[in-house]
Amino acid sequence: IKILIMKKYIFMTLTVVLLGLTACTEDAFDRINKDNEHPSPEAVPAVLQLTDAIMSTGFSTVSGDFAFYLSSLNEQEIGMGNNQLMFAEMRNSSEWAASTTFNNVWNSIYGNLQNIRQMQSKIENEVPGNVGQSDILGMAQVLEAVNFGILTDMFGDIPYSEAVQGQGNLQPKLDAQKDVYTGVLATLDKAISNLEKGKSMTNAGNQDIAYKGVASKWLAAAHALKARYLLHKLAVEPNVLSEVATAVQQAIDNGFEGFTVTGFNGSTCDNPWSAYVFSRQYTAPSKTVADLMKATNDPRLDYYLNALGESYTPGDETIAKTVDDARVMQYQPTWYLFGSQPVHIMSKAELYFIQAEVQLRSNIDATSAYQKAVEASVTEILTWFGDEATVPTAATTAKAYAMSLGTPTLQKLFEQKYVAQALDEQVETYNDLRRLKAMGEEYVILTNPRNTQSGINRYPERLPYGNSAVIGNPDVKEAYGDGSYIYSEKTWINGGK
């Protein structure tokens, strides 16, 4: 009996000790996991999150992996280097359909969206230091619309209504692209309303690396982006043209001159495309673009061709497997070797190309809009990359070139838009090519013979979900399957479900 009693007390004592150790361990972990070196996100004013939100949108969402891979798919550049972009150029399914290929940019965009949503929450909930900042709220809403817009354009159905809640929901449902588009356009309308209210505010200051804190320029950008995302629906909503025309005119009336990310200097901070070619040497000029330029005596041609004065046939295995010399980079397109050019989130040229398309489809003279679109692109290129002798005449040269193209047709328009967007707007070109295909139209002929292999389509209708979501979210895992869906399942705006 004594032995049993002693065992009982020993057991009780051990239990108390273990419970104490557990409590101590939990306290220790709480202290370890607490960041005492930096302020919590709640303590940081929304305006201080703006720079990162803009830079991430330009550097990762617009000009990151999407642009690099799509430049090959669109034949605006040639993938080379005997590595990832070689596989992309060869239309290797293990590269295009892999969930790992776009995992980094998938995570980056959702991380950026969490930052953007935090900004909005602070202002909407009137957290001290953020009260009444309608201009910052509108800017954050514009950036949200761009990031969700590009996500759904690339992937189709995406986590949206339950997304970016952090620990609140680690497995958000997939929303249909149609519903995401409704949300994106509603967000732009909210942005327009808030930027109207905050038009004279200057809360952003030098945190705004796009417009230097001028809220009225953000308002113009919101209208321009609304025109873009309305036009994306044309294949499934053919009556949308009048809404697009209205949004375009409001952007013009508010003085839209382009939505760009600046601050690159070509030395300590490179433009993302330049940083990419400096570090990887994975791209080369495409004959698809060069031949269009040559046919019209395009003044941008010399800045597009590489140091060898060459361009290459899409799908050429020899050039795709060529490894460029990092010290010389003789195969890389010339216009990526400067490093200081800004990044287009939306260019002035795109807005006027949209206006010209609407006018042509509405049987309205589109000559002025078409010429303004071409002039805007050519002027930018000649100004950024020309020498001191050519820069003063850039606008004159651009105007003369635009006039030389004659009266626009849809064929001419999309050829010129394709060339203009070969610099850093590959995401929008991919959207155009799929939209036109859904409408039964083809104005830019893609020639890579590997787009079809053994009678099977190898030109993706969409991009594969990111690996983190495929692994961690049952809805995304089911939708992804083995990845082959990217070749057969069109997105809603392009005639799918």
Side-chain angles (χ1 to χ4, degrees), residues 122-370:
K122 292 171 187 176
I123 300 167
E124 291 170 338
N125 293 320
E126 299 188 326
V127 174
N130 303 275
V131 178
Q133 296 184 347
S134 298
D135 55 342
I136 305 298
L137 179 57
M139 294 171 193
Q141 288 165 333
V142 168
L143 293 169
E144 176 183 322
V146 172
N147 281 274
F148 270 126
I150 290 177
L151 270 173
T152 191
D153 285 339
M154 298 299 98
F155 300 104
D157 301 347
I158 58 168
Y160 177 68
S161 62
E162 296 180 355
V164 292
Q165 295 181 22
Q167 295 294 318
N169 190 342
L170 296 176
Q171 296 179 337
K173 70 175 184 178
L174 284 174
D175 290 274
Q177 186 180 56
K178 183 176 182 180
D179 296 331
V180 179
Y181 254 76
T182 298
V184 166
L185 288 165
T187 299
L188 285 170
D189 283 338
K190 290 177 186 177
I192 289 166
S193 176
N194 283 309
L195 289 165
E196 284 282 6
K197 286 190 290 185
K199 196 159 50 172
S200 61
M201 295 180 180
T202 56
N203 290 305
N206 61 9
Q207 297 297 322
D208 176 9
I209 55 174
Y211 290 124
K212 312 293 185 188
V214 182
S216 60
K217 292 186 177 182
W218 281 88
L219 177 61
H223 285 296
L225 287 162
K226 184 176 179 180
R228 169 199 281 180
Y229 288 107
L230 285 169
L231 184 64
H232 282 183
K233 301 196 295 178
L234 184 59
V236 290
E237 295 183 8
N239 295 324
V240 79
L241 287 177
S242 62
E243 291 182 74
V244 179
T246 298
V248 168
Q249 193 57 53
Q250 288 173 326
I252 293 170
D253 291 345
N254 280 280
F256 183 72
E257 290 291 325
F259 186 7
T260 58
V261 180
T262 60
F264 308 107
N265 58 29
S267 55
T268 58
C269 180
D270 291 321
N271 168 283
W273 258 109
S274 298
Y276 171 68
V277 301
F278 293 160
S279 63
R280 299 294 181 91
Q281 305 90 44
Y282 278 178
T283 193
S286 165
K287 279 183 62 65
T288 307
V289 174
D291 287 351
L292 287 172
M293 286 182 165
K294 290 174 183 176
T296 58
N297 295 315
D298 194 315
R300 294 167 290 190
L301 178 62
D302 287 342
Y303 303 111
Y304 176 70
L305 298 177
N306 59 25
L308 301 170
E310 295 177 347
S311 62
Y312 308 98
T313 303
D316 184 322
E317 187 170 1
T318 299
I319 188 64
K321 291 185 175 180
T322 297
V323 178
D324 202 352
D325 187 332
R327 295 166 299 175
V328 179
M329 292 181 290
Q330 60 184 351
Y331 288 94
Q332 308 305 298
T334 299
W335 63 18
Y336 293 141
L337 302 182
F338 293 85
S340 59
Q341 67 273 22
V343 171
H344 291 105
I345 294 178
M346 182 173 180
S347 66
K348 177 180 178 180
E350 182 186 343
L351 180 70
Y352 282 100
F353 278 125
I354 289 172
Q355 184 179 47
E357 180 182 350
V358 170
Q359 290 172 343
L360 284 169
R361 294 189 185 280
S362 304
N363 296 315
I364 298 171
D365 181 15
T367 304
S368 176
Y370 173 64

Side-chain angles (χ1 to χ4, degrees), residues 13-75:
T13 302
L14 286 172
T15 301
V16 171
V17 171
L18 288 171
L19 286 172
L21 286 172
T22 301
C24 290
T25 302
E26 287 177 352
D27 290 343
F29 278 130
D30 287 341
R31 289 194 298 273
I32 290 170
N33 289 329
K34 187 173 182 179
D35 183 358
N36 294 308
E37 301 298 322
H38 303 92
S40 66
E42 295 76 19
V44 178
V47 66
L48 296 183
Q49 296 172 263
L50 180 62
T51 302
D52 187 58
I54 298 171
M55 181 59 77
S56 182
T57 300
F59 208 97
S60 298
T61 308
V62 174
S63 284
D65 288 344
F66 288 152
F68 304 152
Y69 276 84
L70 292 176
S71 67
S72 167
L73 195 63
N74 299 338
E75 298 180 15

Side-chain angles (χ1 to χ4, degrees), residues 109-126:
I109 295 175
Y110 273 110
N112 192 27
L113 281 164
Q114 187 157 1
N115 178 48
I116 291 166
R117 283 279 179 86
Q118 285 179 357
M119 294 172 64
Q120 295 176 52
S121 176
K122 292 171 187 176
I123 300 167
E124 291 170 338
N125 293 320
E126 299 188 326

